[in-house]
Amino acid sequence: MSDQPAPADTAARQQLTPAAAEGVRAYAARTRESADQLAAVLEDIAANGLPAAEDCIPWEELREQHLARLAAQRPAVA
């Protein structure tokens, strides 16, 4: 993939507001950071192999931790 945007007729494109453009840039930065983290994990696995099962956290435990974080972020509904 290229870092350059695809050529397009800029007159036909709808321009974003400055706030919307900043939001898109922030989303792109978060997405790029997540992709970099995933790539680092995969490179580590490729270089060193899979970790031992006893050194890993079961996915069920990770799921429960994540659901608890989401519940804490969301206000309770009566």
Side-chain angles (χ1 to χ4, degrees):
M1 288 174 50
S2 173
D3 289 335
Q4 300 297 320
D9 181 10
T10 56
R13 298 183 103 182
Q14 179 181 353
Q15 295 299 309
L16 298 176
T17 65
E22 187 57 36
V24 171
R25 286 186 195 98
Y27 177 74
R30 288 190 309 272
T31 302
R32 189 174 293 114
E33 182 180 346
S34 294
D36 288 345
Q37 289 173 352
L38 175 60
V41 169
L42 294 174
E43 288 169 351
D44 179 70
I45 290 171
N48 302 307
L50 292 169
E54 55 272 2
D55 294 336
C56 296
I57 299 172
W59 72 268
E60 296 91 348
E61 188 176 324
L62 293 172
R63 178 193 62 208
E64 293 303 319
Q65 290 172 5
H66 183 65
L67 290 175
R69 278 193 306 273
L70 290 174
Q73 292 173 359
R74 185 176 191 182
V77 177

Short mmCIF file of all heavy atoms in Angstrom, two decimals:
data_model
loop_
_atom_site.label_atom_id
_atom_site.label_comp_id
_atom_site.label_asym_id
_atom_site.label_seq_id
_atom_site.Cartn_x
_atom_site.Cartn_y
_atom_site.Cartn_z
N MET A 1 0.84 -1.17 0.00
CA MET A 1 0.00 0.00 0.00
C MET A 1 0.89 1.24 0.00
O MET A 1 1.97 1.25 0.53
CB MET A 1 -0.91 0.00 1.22
CG MET A 1 -2.00 -1.04 1.12
SD MET A 1 -3.03 -1.24 2.59
CE MET A 1 -3.52 0.39 3.00
N SER A 2 0.37 2.28 -0.54
CA SER A 2 1.11 3.52 -0.63
C SER A 2 0.66 4.48 0.45
O SER A 2 -0.49 4.47 0.89
CB SER A 2 0.87 4.13 -2.01
OG SER A 2 1.43 5.42 -2.06
N ASP A 3 1.58 5.33 0.89
CA ASP A 3 1.22 6.37 1.84
C ASP A 3 0.58 7.56 1.16
O ASP A 3 0.08 8.47 1.82
CB ASP A 3 2.47 6.84 2.61
CG ASP A 3 2.96 5.80 3.59
OD1 ASP A 3 2.13 4.96 4.02
OD2 ASP A 3 4.15 5.82 3.92
N GLN A 4 0.60 7.55 -0.16
CA GLN A 4 0.04 8.65 -0.92
C GLN A 4 -1.43 8.37 -1.22
O GLN A 4 -1.80 7.26 -1.57
CB GLN A 4 0.81 8.82 -2.24
CG GLN A 4 2.28 9.12 -2.06
CD GLN A 4 2.49 10.44 -1.33
OE1 GLN A 4 1.78 11.40 -1.58
NE2 GLN A 4 3.46 10.47 -0.43
N PRO A 5 -2.29 9.39 -1.07
CA PRO A 5 -3.70 9.19 -1.41
C PRO A 5 -3.86 8.97 -2.90
O PRO A 5 -3.04 9.42 -3.70
CB PRO A 5 -4.37 10.49 -0.96
CG PRO A 5 -3.27 11.49 -0.86
CD PRO A 5 -2.00 10.72 -0.59
N ALA A 6 -4.90 8.26 -3.26
CA ALA A 6 -5.19 8.01 -4.67
C ALA A 6 -5.52 9.32 -5.36
O ALA A 6 -6.19 10.18 -4.78
CB ALA A 6 -6.35 7.04 -4.80
N PRO A 7 -5.04 9.52 -6.58
CA PRO A 7 -5.37 10.75 -7.29
C PRO A 7 -6.87 10.82 -7.51
O PRO A 7 -7.51 9.83 -7.83
CB PRO A 7 -4.61 10.64 -8.60
CG PRO A 7 -4.13 9.25 -8.70
CD PRO A 7 -4.20 8.62 -7.34
N ALA A 8 -7.41 12.00 -7.29
CA ALA A 8 -8.86 12.18 -7.48
C ALA A 8 -9.13 13.63 -7.85
O ALA A 8 -8.32 14.51 -7.60
CB ALA A 8 -9.59 11.81 -6.21
N ASP A 9 -10.26 13.83 -8.39
CA ASP A 9 -10.69 15.18 -8.73
C ASP A 9 -11.12 15.86 -7.43
O ASP A 9 -12.18 15.57 -6.89
CB ASP A 9 -11.85 15.11 -9.73
CG ASP A 9 -12.33 16.49 -10.16
OD1 ASP A 9 -11.65 17.48 -9.83
OD2 ASP A 9 -13.39 16.55 -10.80
N THR A 10 -10.28 16.76 -6.91
CA THR A 10 -10.58 17.39 -5.62
C THR A 10 -11.81 18.27 -5.68
O THR A 10 -12.44 18.51 -4.66
CB THR A 10 -9.37 18.20 -5.11
OG1 THR A 10 -9.01 19.15 -6.11
CG2 THR A 10 -8.19 17.31 -4.80
N ALA A 11 -12.18 18.74 -6.84
CA ALA A 11 -13.38 19.56 -6.95
C ALA A 11 -14.63 18.73 -6.68
O ALA A 11 -15.63 19.25 -6.19
CB ALA A 11 -13.46 20.20 -8.33
N ALA A 12 -14.59 17.44 -6.98
CA ALA A 12 -15.75 16.57 -6.80
C ALA A 12 -15.82 16.00 -5.39
O ALA A 12 -16.82 15.39 -5.02
CB ALA A 12 -15.72 15.44 -7.81
N ARG A 13 -14.79 16.21 -4.59
CA ARG A 13 -14.77 15.65 -3.24
C ARG A 13 -15.38 16.62 -2.25
O ARG A 13 -15.18 17.82 -2.33
CB ARG A 13 -13.35 15.32 -2.82
CG ARG A 13 -12.72 14.28 -3.72
CD ARG A 13 -11.37 13.95 -3.25
NE ARG A 13 -11.43 12.65 -2.57
CZ ARG A 13 -10.41 12.07 -2.00
NH1 ARG A 13 -9.24 12.65 -1.97
NH2 ARG A 13 -10.55 10.92 -1.44
N GLN A 14 -16.10 16.07 -1.30
CA GLN A 14 -16.69 16.89 -0.25
C GLN A 14 -15.66 17.09 0.86
O GLN A 14 -15.17 16.13 1.43
CB GLN A 14 -17.93 16.22 0.31
CG GLN A 14 -18.60 17.01 1.41
CD GLN A 14 -19.83 16.30 1.95
OE1 GLN A 14 -20.24 15.29 1.42
NE2 GLN A 14 -20.39 16.85 3.00
N GLN A 15 -15.33 18.32 1.15
CA GLN A 15 -14.33 18.61 2.17
C GLN A 15 -14.92 18.41 3.56
O GLN A 15 -16.11 18.66 3.80
CB GLN A 15 -13.84 20.05 2.01
CG GLN A 15 -13.09 20.30 0.72
CD GLN A 15 -11.84 19.42 0.62
OE1 GLN A 15 -11.04 19.39 1.52
NE2 GLN A 15 -11.71 18.73 -0.49
N LEU A 16 -14.07 17.95 4.47
CA LEU A 16 -14.49 17.76 5.86
C LEU A 16 -14.29 19.05 6.63
O LEU A 16 -13.44 19.87 6.29
CB LEU A 16 -13.64 16.67 6.51
CG LEU A 16 -13.73 15.27 5.90
CD1 LEU A 16 -12.75 14.34 6.60
CD2 LEU A 16 -15.13 14.73 6.01
N THR A 17 -15.06 19.17 7.69
CA THR A 17 -14.82 20.30 8.59
C THR A 17 -13.49 20.04 9.29
O THR A 17 -13.03 18.89 9.37
CB THR A 17 -15.93 20.40 9.65
OG1 THR A 17 -15.89 19.23 10.48
CG2 THR A 17 -17.31 20.56 9.00
N PRO A 18 -12.86 21.07 9.81
CA PRO A 18 -11.59 20.86 10.52
C PRO A 18 -11.72 19.85 11.67
O PRO A 18 -10.85 19.01 11.87
CB PRO A 18 -11.22 22.24 11.03
CG PRO A 18 -11.84 23.18 10.04
CD PRO A 18 -13.14 22.52 9.66
N ALA A 19 -12.83 19.89 12.41
CA ALA A 19 -13.03 18.96 13.52
C ALA A 19 -13.17 17.53 12.99
O ALA A 19 -12.62 16.58 13.58
CB ALA A 19 -14.25 19.36 14.33
N ALA A 20 -13.91 17.35 11.91
CA ALA A 20 -14.08 16.01 11.34
C ALA A 20 -12.76 15.48 10.80
O ALA A 20 -12.44 14.30 10.98
CB ALA A 20 -15.14 16.03 10.25
N ALA A 21 -12.00 16.34 10.14
CA ALA A 21 -10.70 15.91 9.61
C ALA A 21 -9.77 15.49 10.74
O ALA A 21 -9.06 14.49 10.63
CB ALA A 21 -10.07 17.04 8.80
N GLU A 22 -9.79 16.24 11.84
CA GLU A 22 -8.96 15.88 12.98
C GLU A 22 -9.41 14.54 13.58
O GLU A 22 -8.59 13.72 13.97
CB GLU A 22 -9.01 16.97 14.06
CG GLU A 22 -8.05 16.76 15.19
CD GLU A 22 -6.60 16.64 14.72
OE1 GLU A 22 -6.21 17.32 13.77
OE2 GLU A 22 -5.87 15.84 15.33
N GLY A 23 -10.71 14.30 13.62
CA GLY A 23 -11.22 13.02 14.11
C GLY A 23 -10.77 11.86 13.24
O GLY A 23 -10.40 10.80 13.75
N VAL A 24 -10.79 12.05 11.94
CA VAL A 24 -10.33 11.01 11.01
C VAL A 24 -8.84 10.74 11.21
O VAL A 24 -8.39 9.60 11.23
CB VAL A 24 -10.64 11.40 9.55
CG1 VAL A 24 -9.97 10.46 8.57
CG2 VAL A 24 -12.14 11.43 9.32
N ARG A 25 -8.06 11.82 11.38
CA ARG A 25 -6.62 11.64 11.62
C ARG A 25 -6.37 10.90 12.93
O ARG A 25 -5.48 10.04 13.00
CB ARG A 25 -5.92 13.00 11.64
CG ARG A 25 -5.77 13.62 10.29
CD ARG A 25 -4.95 14.91 10.36
NE ARG A 25 -5.11 15.65 9.14
CZ ARG A 25 -5.96 16.68 8.99
NH1 ARG A 25 -6.67 17.12 10.00
NH2 ARG A 25 -6.06 17.28 7.81
N ALA A 26 -7.14 11.21 13.97
CA ALA A 26 -6.98 10.53 15.26
C ALA A 26 -7.32 9.05 15.12
O ALA A 26 -6.62 8.18 15.67
CB ALA A 26 -7.85 11.19 16.32
N TYR A 27 -8.39 8.74 14.39
CA TYR A 27 -8.78 7.35 14.16
C TYR A 27 -7.67 6.62 13.39
O TYR A 27 -7.32 5.47 13.73
CB TYR A 27 -10.10 7.27 13.40
CG TYR A 27 -10.51 5.86 13.08
CD1 TYR A 27 -11.01 5.02 14.06
CD2 TYR A 27 -10.37 5.36 11.78
CE1 TYR A 27 -11.37 3.72 13.76
CE2 TYR A 27 -10.74 4.07 11.48
CZ TYR A 27 -11.24 3.25 12.47
OH TYR A 27 -11.59 1.96 12.17
N ALA A 28 -7.11 7.27 12.39
CA ALA A 28 -6.03 6.66 11.61
C ALA A 28 -4.82 6.38 12.50
O ALA A 28 -4.20 5.32 12.40
CB ALA A 28 -5.64 7.57 10.45
N ALA A 29 -4.51 7.30 13.40
CA ALA A 29 -3.36 7.11 14.30
C ALA A 29 -3.60 5.94 15.24
O ALA A 29 -2.71 5.11 15.47
CB ALA A 29 -3.10 8.38 15.09
N ARG A 30 -4.83 5.83 15.79
CA ARG A 30 -5.15 4.70 16.69
C ARG A 30 -5.09 3.38 15.93
O ARG A 30 -4.57 2.38 16.44
CB ARG A 30 -6.53 4.89 17.32
CG ARG A 30 -6.60 5.97 18.36
CD ARG A 30 -7.92 5.94 19.12
NE ARG A 30 -9.11 5.92 18.28
CZ ARG A 30 -9.74 6.98 17.80
NH1 ARG A 30 -9.28 8.19 18.06
NH2 ARG A 30 -10.82 6.85 17.07
N THR A 31 -5.61 3.37 14.71
CA THR A 31 -5.60 2.16 13.90
C THR A 31 -4.17 1.76 13.56
O THR A 31 -3.80 0.57 13.65
CB THR A 31 -6.42 2.38 12.62
OG1 THR A 31 -7.74 2.75 12.98
CG2 THR A 31 -6.45 1.12 11.77
N ARG A 32 -3.34 2.72 13.21
CA ARG A 32 -1.94 2.46 12.90
C ARG A 32 -1.21 1.91 14.12
O ARG A 32 -0.44 0.96 14.03
CB ARG A 32 -1.27 3.74 12.41
CG ARG A 32 0.12 3.55 11.86
CD ARG A 32 0.66 4.85 11.26
NE ARG A 32 -0.11 5.23 10.07
CZ ARG A 32 -0.88 6.31 9.99
NH1 ARG A 32 -0.98 7.15 10.98
NH2 ARG A 32 -1.54 6.57 8.87
N GLU A 33 -1.48 2.47 15.30
CA GLU A 33 -0.85 2.00 16.53
C GLU A 33 -1.25 0.55 16.83
O GLU A 33 -0.41 -0.27 17.18
CB GLU A 33 -1.24 2.90 17.70
CG GLU A 33 -0.59 2.51 19.01
CD GLU A 33 -0.98 3.43 20.15
OE1 GLU A 33 -1.55 4.51 19.91
OE2 GLU A 33 -0.73 3.05 21.30
N SER A 34 -2.53 0.24 16.66
CA SER A 34 -2.99 -1.14 16.88
C SER A 34 -2.33 -2.11 15.90
O SER A 34 -1.93 -3.21 16.29
CB SER A 34 -4.51 -1.22 16.73
OG SER A 34 -5.14 -0.50 17.75
N ALA A 35 -2.22 -1.70 14.65
CA ALA A 35 -1.59 -2.55 13.65
C ALA A 35 -0.11 -2.77 13.97
O ALA A 35 0.41 -3.88 13.82
CB ALA A 35 -1.74 -1.94 12.26
N ASP A 36 0.56 -1.73 14.45
CA ASP A 36 1.97 -1.86 14.83
C ASP A 36 2.14 -2.81 16.00
O ASP A 36 3.08 -3.61 16.04
CB ASP A 36 2.57 -0.49 15.18
CG ASP A 36 2.76 0.40 13.96
OD1 ASP A 36 2.71 -0.13 12.82
OD2 ASP A 36 2.95 1.61 14.15
N GLN A 37 1.23 -2.75 16.98
CA GLN A 37 1.29 -3.65 18.13
C GLN A 37 1.09 -5.11 17.68
O GLN A 37 1.82 -6.00 18.12
CB GLN A 37 0.25 -3.28 19.18
CG GLN A 37 0.56 -2.00 19.91
CD GLN A 37 -0.56 -1.56 20.83
OE1 GLN A 37 -1.65 -2.13 20.82
NE2 GLN A 37 -0.30 -0.54 21.61
N LEU A 38 0.12 -5.33 16.82
CA LEU A 38 -0.13 -6.68 16.32
C LEU A 38 1.08 -7.18 15.53
O LEU A 38 1.51 -8.33 15.71
CB LEU A 38 -1.38 -6.71 15.44
CG LEU A 38 -1.68 -8.04 14.75
CD1 LEU A 38 -1.87 -9.16 15.77
CD2 LEU A 38 -2.88 -7.92 13.84
N ALA A 39 1.65 -6.33 14.69
CA ALA A 39 2.82 -6.73 13.91
C ALA A 39 3.99 -7.10 14.83
O ALA A 39 4.71 -8.08 14.57
CB ALA A 39 3.23 -5.61 12.95
N ALA A 40 4.17 -6.36 15.91
CA ALA A 40 5.25 -6.66 16.85
C ALA A 40 5.05 -8.02 17.50
O ALA A 40 6.00 -8.80 17.66
CB ALA A 40 5.36 -5.57 17.91
N VAL A 41 3.82 -8.33 17.88
CA VAL A 41 3.53 -9.64 18.48
C VAL A 41 3.80 -10.76 17.48
O VAL A 41 4.43 -11.77 17.81
CB VAL A 41 2.07 -9.69 18.99
CG1 VAL A 41 1.67 -11.11 19.36
CG2 VAL A 41 1.89 -8.75 20.18
N LEU A 42 3.34 -10.58 16.26
CA LEU A 42 3.55 -11.61 15.24
C LEU A 42 5.03 -11.80 14.92
O LEU A 42 5.49 -12.93 14.74
CB LEU A 42 2.77 -11.27 13.97
CG LEU A 42 1.24 -11.28 14.12
CD1 LEU A 42 0.59 -10.79 12.83
CD2 LEU A 42 0.73 -12.64 14.51
N GLU A 43 5.79 -10.71 14.89
CA GLU A 43 7.23 -10.81 14.65
C GLU A 43 7.92 -11.54 15.80
O GLU A 43 8.83 -12.35 15.57
CB GLU A 43 7.84 -9.43 14.45
CG GLU A 43 7.45 -8.81 13.12
CD GLU A 43 7.82 -7.34 13.01
OE1 GLU A 43 8.22 -6.74 14.03
OE2 GLU A 43 7.70 -6.81 11.90
N ASP A 44 7.48 -11.29 17.04
CA ASP A 44 8.04 -11.99 18.19
C ASP A 44 7.75 -13.48 18.11
O ASP A 44 8.64 -14.31 18.37
CB ASP A 44 7.48 -11.40 19.48
CG ASP A 44 8.03 -12.12 20.71
OD1 ASP A 44 9.24 -11.95 21.00
OD2 ASP A 44 7.27 -12.86 21.35
N ILE A 45 6.52 -13.83 17.73
CA ILE A 45 6.17 -15.25 17.59
C ILE A 45 7.00 -15.89 16.50
O ILE A 45 7.50 -17.01 16.66
CB ILE A 45 4.66 -15.41 17.31
CG1 ILE A 45 3.86 -15.05 18.57
CG2 ILE A 45 4.33 -16.83 16.85
CD1 ILE A 45 2.37 -14.96 18.35
N ALA A 46 7.18 -15.19 15.38
CA ALA A 46 7.98 -15.74 14.28
C ALA A 46 9.43 -15.95 14.71
O ALA A 46 10.05 -16.94 14.34
CB ALA A 46 7.92 -14.80 13.07
N ALA A 47 9.97 -15.03 15.51
CA ALA A 47 11.37 -15.12 15.91
C ALA A 47 11.59 -16.11 17.05
O ALA A 47 12.61 -16.81 17.09
CB ALA A 47 11.88 -13.74 16.33
N ASN A 48 10.63 -16.20 17.98
CA ASN A 48 10.84 -16.98 19.20
C ASN A 48 9.90 -18.15 19.39
O ASN A 48 10.03 -18.88 20.37
CB ASN A 48 10.72 -16.04 20.42
CG ASN A 48 11.70 -14.91 20.32
OD1 ASN A 48 12.89 -15.12 20.15
ND2 ASN A 48 11.20 -13.69 20.41
N GLY A 49 8.91 -18.30 18.52
CA GLY A 49 7.94 -19.37 18.67
C GLY A 49 6.81 -18.95 19.60
O GLY A 49 6.80 -17.85 20.16
N LEU A 50 5.86 -19.84 19.76
CA LEU A 50 4.72 -19.57 20.62
C LEU A 50 5.12 -19.66 22.08
O LEU A 50 5.97 -20.47 22.45
CB LEU A 50 3.60 -20.57 20.34
CG LEU A 50 2.93 -20.44 18.97
CD1 LEU A 50 2.03 -21.64 18.71
CD2 LEU A 50 2.13 -19.16 18.90
N PRO A 51 4.50 -18.85 22.96
CA PRO A 51 4.80 -18.96 24.38
C PRO A 51 4.24 -20.27 24.94
O PRO A 51 3.32 -20.86 24.38
CB PRO A 51 4.11 -17.75 24.99
CG PRO A 51 3.06 -17.36 24.01
CD PRO A 51 3.55 -17.79 22.67
N ALA A 52 4.78 -20.69 26.07
CA ALA A 52 4.28 -21.89 26.74
C ALA A 52 2.85 -21.65 27.21
O ALA A 52 2.50 -20.54 27.63
CB ALA A 52 5.17 -22.24 27.92
N ALA A 53 2.02 -22.67 27.15
CA ALA A 53 0.61 -22.54 27.52
C ALA A 53 0.45 -22.06 28.96
O ALA A 53 -0.45 -21.26 29.25
CB ALA A 53 -0.10 -23.87 27.32
N GLU A 54 1.31 -22.49 29.86
CA GLU A 54 1.19 -22.07 31.27
C GLU A 54 1.54 -20.60 31.47
O GLU A 54 1.22 -20.01 32.50
CB GLU A 54 2.03 -22.95 32.19
CG GLU A 54 3.49 -23.05 31.84
CD GLU A 54 3.81 -24.15 30.84
OE1 GLU A 54 2.89 -24.84 30.37
OE2 GLU A 54 5.00 -24.31 30.54
N ASP A 55 2.18 -19.97 30.49
CA ASP A 55 2.52 -18.55 30.58
C ASP A 55 1.44 -17.66 29.98
O ASP A 55 1.56 -16.43 30.00
CB ASP A 55 3.84 -18.27 29.86
CG ASP A 55 5.02 -18.93 30.54
OD1 ASP A 55 4.93 -19.20 31.75
OD2 ASP A 55 6.04 -19.17 29.86
N CYS A 56 0.39 -18.28 29.44
CA CYS A 56 -0.66 -17.53 28.76
C CYS A 56 -1.89 -17.37 29.65
O CYS A 56 -2.11 -18.14 30.57
CB CYS A 56 -1.07 -18.25 27.47
SG CYS A 56 0.27 -18.34 26.28
N ILE A 57 -2.69 -16.35 29.33
CA ILE A 57 -3.95 -16.12 30.03
C ILE A 57 -5.06 -16.71 29.17
O ILE A 57 -5.14 -16.42 27.97
CB ILE A 57 -4.18 -14.61 30.24
CG1 ILE A 57 -3.06 -14.02 31.07
CG2 ILE A 57 -5.54 -14.35 30.90
CD1 ILE A 57 -3.10 -12.50 31.17
N PRO A 58 -5.93 -17.54 29.75
CA PRO A 58 -7.03 -18.12 28.97
C PRO A 58 -7.91 -17.02 28.37
O PRO A 58 -8.13 -15.97 28.99
CB PRO A 58 -7.81 -18.93 30.00
CG PRO A 58 -6.85 -19.18 31.11
CD PRO A 58 -5.94 -18.00 31.14
N TRP A 59 -8.41 -17.26 27.17
CA TRP A 59 -9.20 -16.25 26.48
C TRP A 59 -10.46 -15.91 27.25
O TRP A 59 -10.94 -14.77 27.22
CB TRP A 59 -9.53 -16.67 25.05
CG TRP A 59 -10.54 -17.77 24.94
CD1 TRP A 59 -10.29 -19.10 24.88
CD2 TRP A 59 -11.95 -17.61 24.87
NE1 TRP A 59 -11.47 -19.79 24.78
CE2 TRP A 59 -12.52 -18.90 24.79
CE3 TRP A 59 -12.81 -16.53 24.90
CZ2 TRP A 59 -13.89 -19.13 24.72
CZ3 TRP A 59 -14.17 -16.75 24.82
CH2 TRP A 59 -14.70 -18.04 24.73
N GLU A 60 -11.02 -16.86 28.00
CA GLU A 60 -12.23 -16.59 28.77
C GLU A 60 -11.95 -15.53 29.84
O GLU A 60 -12.78 -14.64 30.07
CB GLU A 60 -12.74 -17.86 29.46
CG GLU A 60 -13.19 -18.95 28.50
CD GLU A 60 -12.08 -19.93 28.15
OE1 GLU A 60 -10.91 -19.66 28.46
OE2 GLU A 60 -12.39 -20.98 27.57
N GLU A 61 -10.79 -15.61 30.46
CA GLU A 61 -10.41 -14.62 31.48
C GLU A 61 -10.21 -13.25 30.84
O GLU A 61 -10.64 -12.22 31.39
CB GLU A 61 -9.14 -15.08 32.19
CG GLU A 61 -8.77 -14.25 33.38
CD GLU A 61 -7.55 -14.80 34.11
OE1 GLU A 61 -7.40 -16.04 34.18
OE2 GLU A 61 -6.77 -13.99 34.61
N LEU A 62 -9.55 -13.22 29.69
CA LEU A 62 -9.37 -11.96 28.98
C LEU A 62 -10.71 -11.35 28.58
O LEU A 62 -10.92 -10.14 28.70
CB LEU A 62 -8.51 -12.17 27.73
CG LEU A 62 -7.05 -12.55 27.98
CD1 LEU A 62 -6.38 -12.92 26.67
CD2 LEU A 62 -6.33 -11.42 28.68
N ARG A 63 -11.63 -12.20 28.13
CA ARG A 63 -12.97 -11.73 27.74
C ARG A 63 -13.67 -11.10 28.94
O ARG A 63 -14.23 -10.01 28.84
CB ARG A 63 -13.80 -12.88 27.20
CG ARG A 63 -15.22 -12.46 26.81
CD ARG A 63 -16.13 -13.64 26.58
NE ARG A 63 -16.24 -14.39 27.83
CZ ARG A 63 -16.47 -15.69 27.89
NH1 ARG A 63 -16.62 -16.40 26.81
NH2 ARG A 63 -16.56 -16.30 29.06
N GLU A 64 -13.62 -11.77 30.09
CA GLU A 64 -14.28 -11.24 31.28
C GLU A 64 -13.66 -9.92 31.73
O GLU A 64 -14.38 -9.00 32.13
CB GLU A 64 -14.25 -12.27 32.41
CG GLU A 64 -15.08 -13.51 32.13
CD GLU A 64 -16.54 -13.19 31.83
OE1 GLU A 64 -17.13 -12.32 32.50
OE2 GLU A 64 -17.11 -13.81 30.91
N GLN A 65 -12.35 -9.81 31.65
CA GLN A 65 -11.69 -8.56 32.00
C GLN A 65 -12.13 -7.43 31.07
O GLN A 65 -12.40 -6.31 31.51
CB GLN A 65 -10.16 -8.71 31.93
CG GLN A 65 -9.59 -9.59 33.01
CD GLN A 65 -8.10 -9.86 32.77
OE1 GLN A 65 -7.48 -9.33 31.86
NE2 GLN A 65 -7.53 -10.71 33.62
N HIS A 66 -12.21 -7.74 29.79
CA HIS A 66 -12.62 -6.73 28.81
C HIS A 66 -14.08 -6.33 29.04
O HIS A 66 -14.41 -5.13 29.00
CB HIS A 66 -12.42 -7.26 27.40
CG HIS A 66 -12.74 -6.26 26.34
ND1 HIS A 66 -12.04 -5.09 26.17
CD2 HIS A 66 -13.72 -6.24 25.40
CE1 HIS A 66 -12.56 -4.40 25.17
NE2 HIS A 66 -13.58 -5.08 24.69
N LEU A 67 -14.95 -7.29 29.29
CA LEU A 67 -16.36 -6.96 29.54
C LEU A 67 -16.51 -6.13 30.81
O LEU A 67 -17.34 -5.21 30.85
CB LEU A 67 -17.19 -8.25 29.64
CG LEU A 67 -17.37 -9.02 28.33
CD1 LEU A 67 -18.09 -10.34 28.57
CD2 LEU A 67 -18.10 -8.17 27.30
N ALA A 68 -15.71 -6.41 31.81
CA ALA A 68 -15.76 -5.61 33.04
C ALA A 68 -15.32 -4.17 32.76
O ALA A 68 -15.91 -3.22 33.28
CB ALA A 68 -14.87 -6.24 34.11
N ARG A 69 -14.27 -3.99 31.93
CA ARG A 69 -13.83 -2.64 31.56
C ARG A 69 -14.93 -1.90 30.81
O ARG A 69 -15.20 -0.72 31.07
CB ARG A 69 -12.57 -2.69 30.71
CG ARG A 69 -11.29 -2.85 31.48
CD ARG A 69 -10.06 -2.58 30.61
NE ARG A 69 -10.01 -3.37 29.39
CZ ARG A 69 -9.48 -4.58 29.31
NH1 ARG A 69 -8.95 -5.15 30.35
NH2 ARG A 69 -9.48 -5.22 28.14
N LEU A 70 -15.59 -2.60 29.88
CA LEU A 70 -16.67 -1.96 29.13
C LEU A 70 -17.83 -1.58 30.04
O LEU A 70 -18.40 -0.50 29.91
CB LEU A 70 -17.16 -2.89 28.01
CG LEU A 70 -16.21 -3.12 26.86
CD1 LEU A 70 -16.78 -4.17 25.90
CD2 LEU A 70 -15.91 -1.83 26.12
N ALA A 71 -18.17 -2.47 30.97
CA ALA A 71 -19.28 -2.18 31.90
C ALA A 71 -18.95 -1.00 32.79
O ALA A 71 -19.81 -0.19 33.11
CB ALA A 71 -19.57 -3.42 32.74
N ALA A 72 -17.69 -0.87 33.18
CA ALA A 72 -17.29 0.26 34.03
C ALA A 72 -17.36 1.59 33.28
O ALA A 72 -17.60 2.63 33.89
CB ALA A 72 -15.87 0.03 34.56
N GLN A 73 -17.17 1.55 31.97
CA GLN A 73 -17.21 2.76 31.16
C GLN A 73 -18.64 3.22 30.88
O GLN A 73 -18.89 4.38 30.61
CB GLN A 73 -16.51 2.55 29.82
CG GLN A 73 -15.04 2.35 29.93
CD GLN A 73 -14.43 1.97 28.59
OE1 GLN A 73 -15.12 1.85 27.58
NE2 GLN A 73 -13.12 1.79 28.57
N ARG A 74 -19.59 2.29 30.95
CA ARG A 74 -20.96 2.58 30.57
C ARG A 74 -21.79 2.84 31.82
O ARG A 74 -21.77 2.04 32.75
CB ARG A 74 -21.52 1.38 29.81
CG ARG A 74 -22.87 1.58 29.26
CD ARG A 74 -23.29 0.39 28.45
NE ARG A 74 -24.47 0.70 27.72
CZ ARG A 74 -25.11 -0.13 26.95
NH1 ARG A 74 -24.64 -1.36 26.82
NH2 ARG A 74 -26.18 0.21 26.31
N PRO A 75 -22.57 3.92 31.83
CA PRO A 75 -23.41 4.16 33.00
C PRO A 75 -24.51 3.10 33.12
O PRO A 75 -24.97 2.56 32.12
CB PRO A 75 -24.01 5.54 32.73
CG PRO A 75 -23.86 5.77 31.27
CD PRO A 75 -22.69 4.94 30.82
N ALA A 76 -24.87 2.79 34.35
CA ALA A 76 -25.89 1.78 34.61
C ALA A 76 -27.25 2.27 34.13
O ALA A 76 -27.59 3.44 34.25
CB ALA A 76 -25.95 1.43 36.09
N VAL A 77 -28.04 1.36 33.60
CA VAL A 77 -29.38 1.67 33.15
C VAL A 77 -30.36 1.10 34.16
O VAL A 77 -30.26 -0.06 34.56
CB VAL A 77 -29.65 1.07 31.74
CG1 VAL A 77 -31.08 1.34 31.31
CG2 VAL A 77 -28.66 1.62 30.75
N ALA A 78 -31.31 1.91 34.58
CA ALA A 78 -32.28 1.46 35.59
C ALA A 78 -33.29 0.52 34.99
O ALA A 78 -33.65 0.53 33.88
CB ALA A 78 -32.98 2.66 36.20
#
